[in-house]
């Protein structure tokens, strides 16, 4: 049953319905605090043993993820969980040197159950992408999109896929480019992990969308909050993890093919995946995957958004082997993209710029086409990864990972003399990263990991552009050390604490306008600490709390940008005197799901102090030989950011579900004593879903209607932007999905409609809101055919 969710802001809104919203909020929190769980007195106990010889597996972990409860077996493998309600539970059982297994049990009385693990069938897993492990991001609010959810979002960008999560919005540059925003923070404050590797792809640009093919993964996880101790610099707002897919370990063959069609852009896409094991070599698995998208110009309700076509193609392959001690893995991916930039965003003179901002329609509108002309950008990103892991006795594991990334980016401007096909910006970024992590046990309870990582990066401006580089050539070197320890105090309380130190050195070479070579070598030294807890006062309630510091040194663009950034249609100026940004953030996250209640509540509160907060601040306009453009300068200030998210799920009947959710962010510039520029407006979303388990051979039939309301952003610095924030807006959507099995294979169909009423609107977080409306109605239909061994083609996400 898919839940219906109702969202609303945790803050009082200046609307006539404010009192109603406040009352609903108070009612939801009253449900959290006072709902009772009668009759939860059952006990589950037993031993965790080796499946081969029946020997005890000392200090194994037994977890009921739905309750957030974990117990640890003693030296004889004995475990005990008290205070359980009658019902059905899924147990997750883990032990170093064993594969994690799940067992479903139904309790109606006290029960003894021995749990058996394949102690000699070791399947190592990287901690960063394990789901619901007790020693993973303790205290942090988390959200995720599994394979089924990703399939329903087929054809959307990675950022758009994530925008349905609590506290996540999208920073846009027209209809083709989007970056995730977590609790008001984006860009270099949101770390992207692609297959467990830091994504390095010129992410400093507001219009540089992550060059990640979401179809190369089966699950995306978002960690909300400062997570620099575990993940390093830039994890101030949060971390987005595209998780590696589990490789088959047994012989067999499975796969799937997916087709997609969309109406807004009159295009579509396709993807395919094939994976299997190898006969005679148990533990050896492989996977091949490919995808592509082809779209023409997008359309607003009243006109064509000219030159906004999309071309994408991606391929990935993985190979892995595991036995009871060793695991070896290799991965390669390539993702290429060509994006048109809204032609109306490039203006010839200051008068035309002011007229364009004042006009309700773009100054340039042409017939819809699939051609992509200047301005446009092309990106080609490659990732190669190799890793090896070894179990050290029964109490530790050592894992080493090396990765190489190559990122080629070209940006094309409308240029005179037939030079529009010559890139005005041509960058090649190469990055080598290495990581060594030891997972260990200290005594009977304390366990964690200690590690080191290094990065070597070189950015080069490719000659031949005929323009002065926007950012200079540079070399970057980073080294870090971290430790993170986890202490399960008892089965309802888990603690975690950690620390990191990190050093970054830059070597920057650039020419002045007088062709004088300048060399700069800034050095940055930073550290971070973290402390968190998970507490389950009762089976239905889980509280997470985390206080963490985080940091990021300024990137080269923030220090040395100088000139026109074609993709964003703006002039950007850096400041070489900027220092590291440091943040202290607290997050409290509460989930309440009573066993006998139709309501579930999930709320998050967050607050942070950011010193040296770097952002692009509007600074008027400037006329150049290439036209008139808005000017932005990188400036630093001290900022306070706080807000909240709330999700309420209501199971009306066995078939009807409703949801309501809302999020709000407030941010103050403490130096200027004004609201901070570029923060997301308050938003609310609601949905009603109807689901049938089976209808005439079809299963999982689901129909859903959902709506989004975004309020006008009224908290912004006055007189700074080129125009006031646009008016708030509301959108209506619809989705449907169904599955049919035949001959051991599976066919899945889906329909998704966004902006169903074709409303005209502009979003405050869209950099092109000055020039045009956002996309109008869009209908998408997808078809997936899964074949072969379904246990392979629908394996759960995990590391190779």
């Amino acid at each position: 049953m898919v839940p219906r969710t109702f969202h609303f802001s945790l803050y009082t809104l200046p609307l006539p319905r404010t009192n109603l919203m406040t009352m609903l909020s108070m009612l939801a929190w009253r449900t959290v605090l006072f709902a009772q769980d009668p009759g939860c007195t059952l006990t589950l106990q037993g031993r965790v043993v080796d499946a081969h010889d029946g020997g005890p597996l000392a200090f194994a972990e037994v977890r009921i993820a739905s309750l957030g409860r974990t117990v640890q077996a003693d030296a004889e493998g004995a475990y005990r969980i008290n205070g359980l309600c009658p019902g059905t539970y899924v147990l997750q059982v883990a032990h170093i040197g064993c594969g994690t297994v799940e067992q479903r049990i139904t309790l109606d009385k006290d029960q003894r159950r021995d749990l058996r693990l394949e102690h000699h069938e070791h399947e190592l897993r990287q901690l960063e992408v394990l789901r619901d492990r007790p020693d993973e991001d303790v205290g942090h609010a988390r959200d995720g999109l599994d394979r089924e959810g990703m399939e329903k979002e087929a054809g959307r960008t990675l950022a758009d896929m994530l925008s349905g999560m609590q506290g996540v919005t999208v920073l846009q540059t027209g209809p083709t480019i989007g970056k995730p925003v977590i609790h008001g923070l984006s860009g270099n404050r949101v770390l992207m992990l692609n297959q467990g590797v830091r994504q390095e792809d010129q992410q400093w640009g507001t219009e540089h969308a992550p060059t990640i093919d979401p179809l190369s993964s089966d699950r995306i996880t978002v960690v909300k909050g400062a997570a620099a101790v575990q993940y390093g610099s830039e994890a101030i707002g949060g971390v987005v993890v595209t998780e590696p897919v589990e490789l088959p370990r047994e012989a067999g063959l499975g796969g799937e093919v997916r087709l997609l069609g969309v109406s807004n852009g009159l295009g579509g896409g396709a993807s395919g995946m094939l994976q299997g094991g190898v006969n005679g070599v148990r533990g050896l698995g492989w996977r091949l995957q490919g995808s592509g998208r082809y779209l023409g110009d997008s359309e607003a309700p009243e006109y064509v958004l000219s030159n906004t076509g999309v071309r994408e193609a991606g391929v990935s392959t993985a190979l892995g082997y595991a036995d009871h001690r060793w695991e070896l893995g290799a991965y390669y991916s390539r993702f290429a993209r060509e994006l048109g930039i809204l032609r109306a965003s490039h203006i010839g003179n200051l008068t035309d710029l002011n007229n364009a901002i004042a006009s309700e329609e773009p100054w340039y509108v042409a017939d819809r086409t699939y051609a992509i002309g200047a301005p446009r950008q092309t990106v080609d990103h490659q990732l190669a990864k190799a890793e090896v892991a070894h179990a050290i006795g029964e109490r530790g594991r050592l894992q080493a990972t090396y990765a190489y990334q190559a990122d080629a980016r070209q940006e094309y401007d409308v240029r005179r003399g037939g030079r529009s096909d010559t890139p005005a910006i041509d960058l090649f970024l190469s990055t080598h990263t290495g990581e060594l992590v030891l997972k260990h046990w200290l005594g009977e309870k304390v366990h964690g990991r200690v590690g080191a990582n290094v990065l070597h990066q070189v950015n080069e401006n490719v000659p031949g552009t005929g323009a002065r580089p926007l950012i200079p050539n540079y070399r970057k070197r980073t080294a870090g050390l971290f430790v993170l320890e986890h202490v399960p105090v008892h089965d309802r309380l888990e603690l975690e604490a950690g620390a990191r130190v990190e050093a970054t050195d830059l070597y920057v070479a650039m020419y002045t306008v007088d062709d004088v070579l300048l060399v700069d070598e800034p050095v940055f030294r930073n550290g971070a600490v973290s402390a968190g807890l998970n507490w389950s006062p009762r089976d239905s309630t889980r509280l997470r709390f985390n206080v963490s510091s985080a940091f990021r040194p300024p990137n080269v663009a923030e220090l040395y940008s100088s000139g026109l950034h074609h993709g964003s249609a703006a002039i950007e100026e850096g400041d070489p005197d900027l220092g590291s940004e440091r943040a202290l953030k607290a997050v409290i996250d509460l989930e309440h799901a009573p066993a006998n209640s139709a309501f579930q509540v999930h709320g998050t509160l967050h607050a942070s102090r950011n010193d040296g907060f770097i952002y692009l601040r509007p600074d008027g306009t400037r006329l150049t030989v290439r036209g008139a453009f808005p000017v932005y300068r990188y400036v630093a200030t001290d900022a306070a950011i706080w807000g909240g998210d709330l999700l309420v799920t209501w199971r009306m009947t066995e078939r009807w579900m409703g949801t309501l959710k809302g999020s709000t962010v407030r941010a103050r510039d403490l130096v200027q004593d004004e609201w901070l520029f570029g923060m997301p407006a308050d938003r609310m979303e609601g949905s009603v879903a109807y689901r049938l388990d089976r209808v005439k051979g079809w299963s999982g039939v689901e129909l859903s209607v959902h709506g989004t309301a975004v309020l006008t952003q009224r908290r912004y610095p006055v007189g700074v932007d080129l125009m006031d924030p646009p008016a708030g807006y509301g959108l209506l959507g619809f989705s449907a999905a169904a599955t049919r099995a035949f001959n051991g294979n599976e066919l899945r169909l889906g329909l998704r409609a966004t902006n169903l009423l074709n409303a005209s609107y502009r979003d405050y977080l869209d950099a092109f809101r000055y020039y045009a409306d956002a996309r109008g109605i869009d209908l998408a239909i997808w078809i997936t055919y899964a074949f072969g061994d379904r246990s392979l083609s629908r394996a759960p996400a995990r590391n190779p």
Side-chain angles (χ1 to χ4, degrees):
M1 183 75 65
V2 175
R4 276 178 289 185
T5 304
F6 299 89
H7 296 262
F8 53 87
S9 172
L10 294 176
Y11 289 86
T12 301
L13 304 177
L15 297 174
R17 58 179 177 273
T18 296
N19 292 336
L20 175 60
M21 299 303 296
T22 304
M23 292 172 63
L24 287 174
S25 180
M26 293 173 63
L27 177 61
W29 286 108
R30 179 180 174 86
T31 301
V32 173
L33 295 175
F34 297 106
Q36 300 296 319
D37 300 315
C40 299
T41 60
L42 301 182
T43 297
L44 174 67
Q45 61 182 321
R47 296 174 71 233
V48 183
V49 298
D50 190 314
H52 292 276
D53 57 21
L57 296 182
F59 313 121
E61 292 178 352
V62 181
R63 177 171 175 79
I64 304 178
S66 61
L67 304 181
R69 294 186 60 183
T70 301
V71 298
Q72 186 178 71
D74 62 19
E76 299 301 321
Y79 74 95
R80 182 185 181 95
I81 307 176
N82 296 318
L84 295 175
C85 303
T88 299
Y89 301 96
V90 176
L91 301 181
Q92 297 176 347
V93 191
H95 186 263
I96 291 180
C98 305
T100 299
V101 300
E102 293 186 348
Q103 292 192 20
R104 183 180 297 272
I105 64 168
T106 299
L107 286 180
D108 54 12
K109 60 182 179 180
D110 292 344
Q111 188 175 138
R112 181 178 180 84
R113 174 72 65 91
D114 289 344
L115 306 172
R116 298 180 178 273
L117 291 180
E118 290 286 341
H119 190 245
H120 301 296
E121 187 183 338
H122 178 59
E123 295 181 343
L124 296 170
R125 302 186 180 194
Q126 181 181 339
L127 288 174
E128 281 72 14
V129 296
L130 285 174
R131 290 179 287 176
D132 280 329
R133 281 297 300 273
D135 56 350
E136 167 67 10
D137 297 312
V138 168
H140 283 295
R142 296 166 62 86
D143 209 340
L145 197 63
D146 60 14
R147 182 172 187 164
E148 181 180 354
M150 294 176 64
E151 188 172 61
K152 293 177 181 179
E153 299 293 326
R156 306 184 75 190
T157 66
L158 176 63
D160 287 332
M161 284 184 174
L162 302 179
S163 64
M165 299 180 185
Q166 292 174 263
V168 181
T169 50
V170 182
L171 179 66
Q172 293 179 292
T173 305
T176 58
I177 300 172
K179 306 186 74 167
V181 180
I182 302 176
H183 290 167
L185 301 177
S186 64
N188 285 80
R189 296 183 186 90
V190 174
L191 179 63
M192 310 290 295
L193 288 183
N194 183 13
Q195 307 294 318
V197 177
R198 292 176 62 98
Q199 179 79 357
E200 298 289 342
D201 59 355
Q202 307 282 6
Q203 60 265 37
W204 48 267
T206 57
E207 88 302 346
H208 295 177
T211 48
I212 298 176
D213 182 3
L215 297 179
S216 65
S217 174
D218 274 356
R219 182 176 176 85
I220 303 174
T221 298
V222 175
V223 179
K224 306 170 190 176
V229 169
Q230 180 170 345
Y231 300 106
S233 63
E234 300 181 0
I236 294 179
V239 184
V240 176
V241 185
T242 60
E243 302 182 359
V245 177
E246 178 182 12
L247 295 180
R249 301 307 185 194
E250 304 288 346
L253 186 67
E256 67 178 31
V257 176
R258 182 182 304 158
L259 299 176
L260 168 74
V262 297
S263 65
N264 199 324
L266 287 181
S271 66
M273 182 273 291
L274 191 66
Q275 65 180 11
V278 178
N279 281 320
V281 187
R282 188 183 187 192
L284 181 63
W286 56 272
R287 185 178 195 261
L288 296 172
Q289 175 268 336
S291 65
R293 280 202 309 160
Y294 189 94
L295 300 173
D297 289 337
S298 296
E299 292 184 76
E302 303 295 333
Y303 44 79
V304 174
L305 300 170
S306 297
N307 198 50
T308 55
V310 176
R311 312 279 188 272
E312 287 181 352
V315 63
S316 68
T317 180
L319 179 68
Y321 171 78
D323 62 20
H324 68 286
R325 286 293 179 187
W326 290 90
E327 182 166 1
L328 306 173
Y331 175 86
Y332 173 79
S333 68
R334 184 171 186 177
F335 185 61
R337 171 189 283 150
E338 182 179 16
L339 301 174
I341 305 298
L342 181 70
R343 180 65 181 88
S345 65
H346 283 229
I347 310 295
N349 57 64
L350 292 176
T351 300
D352 290 344
L353 176 61
N354 292 327
N355 290 338
I357 293 174
S359 174
E360 294 184 358
E361 293 190 4
W363 71 269
Y364 182 91
V365 177
D367 293 336
R368 184 177 56 215
T369 178
Y370 290 92
I372 297 179
R376 63 187 175 95
Q377 58 179 240
T378 63
V379 185
D380 188 342
H381 188 84
Q382 299 181 68
L383 166 64
K385 182 184 77 168
E387 63 183 2
V388 57
H390 178 60
I392 304 172
E394 305 300 325
R395 310 284 290 176
R397 182 189 70 177
L398 186 65
Q399 177 171 309
T401 304
Y402 166 77
Y404 171 74
Q405 297 178 71
D407 188 85
R409 166 176 288 272
Q410 293 84 35
E411 299 185 9
Y412 298 82
D413 192 14
V414 179
R415 308 175 77 176
R416 299 189 180 100
R419 296 187 300 146
S420 293
D421 290 331
T422 300
I425 294 178
D426 195 347
L427 299 170
F428 182 77
L429 182 71
S430 61
T431 307
H432 300 264
T433 55
E435 184 176 62
L436 185 66
V437 177
L438 174 66
K439 180 181 179 181
H440 59 273
W441 286 81
L442 301 174
E444 296 185 0
K445 287 192 173 183
V446 179
H447 56 284
R449 50 200 177 274
V450 59
N453 46 48
V454 294
L455 176 146
H456 178 84
Q457 184 176 83
V458 176
N459 180 75
E460 299 176 283
N461 284 277
V462 179
T465 63
R468 187 185 180 198
L470 174 64
I471 65 171
N473 294 341
Y474 68 86
R475 182 186 67 222
K476 177 181 178 181
R477 292 175 177 171
T478 298
L481 298 171
F482 74 92
V483 59
L484 199 60
E485 299 297 336
H486 174 75
V487 182
V489 179
H490 50 72
D491 65 336
R492 292 186 179 273
L493 179 62
E494 303 159 348
L495 305 178
E496 183 181 84
R500 168 183 283 268
V501 292
E502 188 169 292
T504 298
D505 297 345
L506 288 174
Y507 179 89
V508 182
M510 54 191 164
Y511 284 93
T512 68
V513 292
D514 300 321
D515 287 333
V516 177
L517 177 63
L518 296 179
V519 173
D520 197 8
E521 300 183 59
V523 175
F524 304 95
R525 303 289 184 262
N526 290 291
V529 294
S530 175
L533 66 83
N534 289 350
W535 178 43
S536 299
R538 55 170 68 105
D539 289 349
S540 61
T541 304
R542 177 161 60 179
L543 177 71
R544 301 183 184 94
F545 178 71
N546 183 274
V547 177
S548 300
S549 63
F551 61 88
R552 71 174 189 95
N555 61 62
V556 170
E558 293 167 333
L559 294 170
Y560 305 107
S561 286
S562 179
L564 177 62
H565 193 176
H566 306 274
S568 58
I571 295 171
E572 298 176 3
E573 301 289 347
D575 182 355
D577 295 325
L578 293 173
S580 290
E581 180 178 331
R582 294 181 173 86
L584 180 64
K585 185 169 185 176
V587 178
I588 184 169
D589 184 77
L590 180 65
E591 292 183 73
H592 186 63
N596 301 318
S597 174
F599 287 92
Q600 298 181 8
V601 181
H602 183 188
T604 304
L605 296 174
H606 60 90
S608 67
R609 164 72 185 244
N610 299 64
D611 291 335
F613 183 86
I614 304 170
Y615 70 103
L616 272 174
R617 185 179 177 91
D619 190 27
T621 59
R622 184 183 303 171
L623 181 63
T624 73
V625 294
R626 296 175 184 169
F629 299 94
V631 177
Y632 292 85
R633 297 187 184 277
Y634 286 103
V635 300
T637 190
D638 296 335
I641 304 173
W642 67 97
D645 315 312
L646 187 61
L647 167 66
V648 179
T649 303
W650 180 21
R651 184 187 295 272
M652 304 179 201
T653 68
E654 286 298 314
R655 294 181 177 179
W656 287 94
M657 298 290 291
T659 62
L660 180 68
K661 62 182 177 181
S663 62
T664 183
V665 176
R666 302 288 183 265
R668 293 288 295 181
D669 184 328
L670 301 179
V671 176
Q672 300 292 333
D673 191 24
E674 61 185 9
W675 295 107
L676 200 61
F677 174 75
M679 289 291 118
D682 295 343
R683 61 190 298 120
M684 294 172 285
E685 300 175 36
S687 67
V688 176
Y690 179 77
R691 182 164 183 168
L692 292 172
D693 291 334
R694 184 166 294 276
V695 180
K696 295 183 179 180
W698 292 89
S699 62
V701 178
E702 178 181 304
L703 305 175
S704 176
V705 177
H706 45 89
T708 301
V710 179
L711 306 185
T712 303
Q713 178 58 280
R714 303 188 185 281
R715 298 169 181 85
Y716 61 94
V718 178
V720 172
D721 202 357
L722 298 179
M723 61 183 292
D724 290 338
Y729 59 89
L731 302 176
L732 185 66
F734 173 80
S735 64
T739 300
R740 189 181 188 96
F742 56 94
N743 298 326
N745 301 323
E746 193 172 79
L747 181 68
R748 304 190 291 273
L749 304 177
L751 171 68
R752 184 185 68 249
T754 55
N755 196 0
L756 196 57
L757 301 181
N758 206 29
S760 297
Y761 72 98
R762 301 189 183 193
D763 191 275
Y764 180 59
L765 293 186
D766 189 345
F768 286 174
R769 66 186 182 276
Y770 308 121
Y771 313 111
D773 290 342
R775 284 159 55 99
I777 185 173
D778 187 20
L779 303 177
I781 184 170
W782 52 265
I783 303 174
T784 300
Y785 177 65
F787 58 88
D789 190 334
R790 288 174 59 191
S791 66
L792 298 177
S793 62
R794 295 184 65 82
R798 53 156 290 182
N799 262 14

